[in-house]
Amino acid sequence: MTNHSENTKSATCDNNVLENRRYEFRGVNKSNNEIIYGNYYFDGKYHFIDKCFEHRKEVYAKSVSQFTGLISVKKEKAFYGDVISFQTTEGKELTKELWFCTDKQSLMVGNFTYYELAQSGFIQPTKLEFEILPKTT
């Protein structure tokens, strides 16, 4: 077992502690406009994302989004702000944005909390099966 104290400076990308993190962010790299994934850091003036605590890249503040914990049917990670498409038990196709409600402290799918949606019988099975729609500019 590896010791991961605060004094450890040699973290690597293949480190299990980093790969199994629950908190993952994405953002648009300011230097090349590519989407990057990793840990989020704000130093009071600039916003950064890095993968290994060593390769920090500055990102646009408005592009930063956190992983929701949901995975699409195509095995894509869903982030807050993503627009998803899913089918109801009646066969109706719905398109909703994923967002976080601070009042309810919950992941929201449109106007429903994820829990409300999963427990309502509105979707079948009680797991939300969805696709992430491409971003429009």
Side-chain angles (χ1 to χ4, degrees):
M1 180 175 217
T2 308
N3 179 6
H4 297 289
S5 69
E6 289 185 54
N7 296 330
T8 303
K9 301 280 187 190
S10 60
T12 61
C13 291
D14 60 353
N15 185 319
N16 284 336
V17 171
L18 296 178
E19 290 299 316
N20 295 323
R21 291 177 64 91
R22 287 183 9 172
Y23 301 104
E24 181 179 352
F25 295 84
R26 74 170 177 210
V28 177
N29 186 334
K30 276 190 162 184
S31 67
N32 61 12
N33 286 326
E34 290 182 3
I35 296 174
I36 56 176
Y37 300 86
N39 304 297
Y40 172 66
Y41 175 72
F42 176 65
D43 69 0
K45 186 174 181 181
Y46 301 104
H47 300 264
F48 300 96
I49 290 184
D50 67 55
K51 187 68 174 172
C52 303
F53 300 105
E54 299 169 355
H55 307 291
R56 202 168 31 171
K57 304 289 184 191
E58 187 179 357
V59 294
Y60 295 103
K62 290 185 178 187
S63 73
V64 176
S65 184
Q66 185 176 349
F67 175 49
T68 63
L70 299 178
I71 306 288
S72 77
V73 293
K74 293 182 179 178
K75 307 293 186 221
E76 299 169 309
K77 291 180 178 180
F79 289 78
Y80 291 107
D82 281 348
V83 176
I84 64 169
S85 175
F86 61 96
Q87 198 170 44
T88 68
T89 51
E90 294 93 25
K92 184 177 179 184
E93 189 80 17
L94 293 180
T95 302
K96 301 289 180 187
E97 181 178 356
L98 299 175
W99 59 286
F100 185 80
C101 178
T102 53
D103 291 343
K104 295 183 179 184
Q105 291 293 298
S106 180
L107 165 64
M108 304 294 290
V109 181
N111 293 327
F112 298 99
T113 68
Y114 177 73
Y115 178 79
E116 291 168 340
L117 191 63
Q119 299 301 313
S120 68
F122 192 60
I123 56 174
Q124 182 68 30
T126 56
K127 178 179 137 187
L128 180 61
E129 295 179 350
F130 64 95
E131 290 188 15
I132 301 170
L133 300 178
K135 295 259 187 226
T136 57
T137 54

